[in-house]
Amino acid sequence: MINLISFILRGRFGHFLRSEAGVSALSYPIPPRTSILGLLGAVLGLSKDMPQEVLEPAYIALAGKCPVTHWHRVKLRKDPPEALPRTVKRSQKIDKNTKDEKPALINQEWMFNPEYQIWAGLPEPYHSQLECRLKERCWHFQPCLGMSEMLADLVYVNSIQVKELPQGRHRVCSVVKQDNAILDVTQVYQDGIALQILKMPYQVDKNRVFTHASYLVEKDSKPIPVITDKAYEADGRILMFL
């Protein structure tokens, strides 16, 4: 049996930058596993890059619809003006021109009203601390949805025990890690399910080297029919861990 904490992650806007994004900043429709670990670290008060080390091994499952998106032209930074000379001559005029500031304008894909349900099981003592902080709404750092400007709200749901299911055909209500399941294609067509495959960050080490994994995501969060031995039952729902 595995103990999991269930909570809702939601906000007005969200942006999870795709690792393959170029000039146009595409967003994942769901938070990657590494982003969720960072979110949990913010609640617990862990320093940057620490959650991905101390919270492993972590059991994390995720469910939610792919939000509507909008392309937003954002000013990310400005080139600093040219530095003034160290010596000032008597003949120098006060209106000496310096280099103009040039804003960098980049298109970002923003998600509107993203909302997800997350199940998390962490090693102690972090698991108990997380449950307490979520219940009392006293996170250490402000949670966000990918960017610090996009504030997030966390709503505690419950704490449950999940049990592993035997290998077989299951309708999984969460995001499915592709390596752990075989898609039941016939049932997918019968159910009219809209699937997409996303390659997203899975783990990151202390040198910020990322490991990626492929996931099956259903557009409207409908159950995904798969054959797997990595499914778990939780309150009548079948989950798979990221």
Side-chain angles (χ1 to χ4, degrees), residues 70-76 103-110:
H70 167 74
W71 283 98
H72 176 72
R73 194 166 178 83
V74 61
K75 183 184 296 184
L76 293 183
L105 300 175
I106 295 179
N107 292 323
Q108 281 186 338
E109 186 182 22
W110 284 16

Side-chain angles (χ1 to χ4, degrees), residues 8-91:
I8 302 296
L9 167 65
R10 63 191 181 191
R12 183 68 181 93
F13 301 105
H15 175 80
F16 300 101
L17 181 66
R18 289 184 183 243
S19 56
E20 70 273 18
V23 176
S24 296
L26 291 164
S27 173
Y28 294 115
I30 59 174
R33 186 176 185 273
T34 50
S35 297
I36 296 174
L37 288 174
L39 173 76
L40 300 177
V43 174
L44 296 169
L46 302 178
S47 60
K48 185 179 180 181
D49 297 331
M50 188 177 177
Q52 288 80 4
E53 295 183 39
V54 303
L55 298 184
E56 292 286 6
Y59 298 100
I60 297 175
L62 171 71
K65 295 182 179 181
C66 296
V68 175
T69 62
H70 167 74
W71 283 98
H72 176 72
R73 194 166 178 83
V74 61
K75 183 184 296 184
L76 293 183
R77 66 182 185 276
K78 289 184 177 181
D79 295 331
E82 183 181 0
L84 294 174
R86 292 182 177 274
T87 58
V88 179
K89 298 180 180 179
R90 181 185 302 177
S91 60

Side-chain angles (χ1 to χ4, degrees), residues 90-147:
R90 181 185 302 177
S91 60
Q92 182 174 316
K93 295 183 179 179
I94 193 172
D95 59 349
K96 183 181 185 302
N97 294 325
T98 59
K99 184 176 63 175
D100 295 333
E101 295 181 350
K102 295 181 179 179
L105 300 175
I106 295 179
N107 292 323
Q108 281 186 338
E109 186 182 22
W110 284 16
M111 297 181 292
F112 282 167
N113 300 316
E115 182 172 331
Y116 313 97
Q117 185 167 2
I118 296 175
W119 295 264
L122 306 179
E124 292 292 358
Y126 302 109
H127 188 88
S128 299
Q129 293 175 8
L130 176 65
E131 183 175 15
C132 180
R133 285 188 173 274
L134 288 174
K135 284 182 176 179
E136 298 178 1
R137 297 180 59 83
C138 59
W139 28 87
H140 193 94
F141 299 112
Q142 172 62 48
C144 63
L145 282 154
M147 298 178 63

Side-chain angles (χ1 to χ4, degrees), residues 163-174:
K163 63 177 182 179
E164 189 172 3
L165 297 175
Q167 181 175 3
R169 296 178 183 272
H170 301 287
R171 292 178 179 270
V172 180
C173 299
S174 63

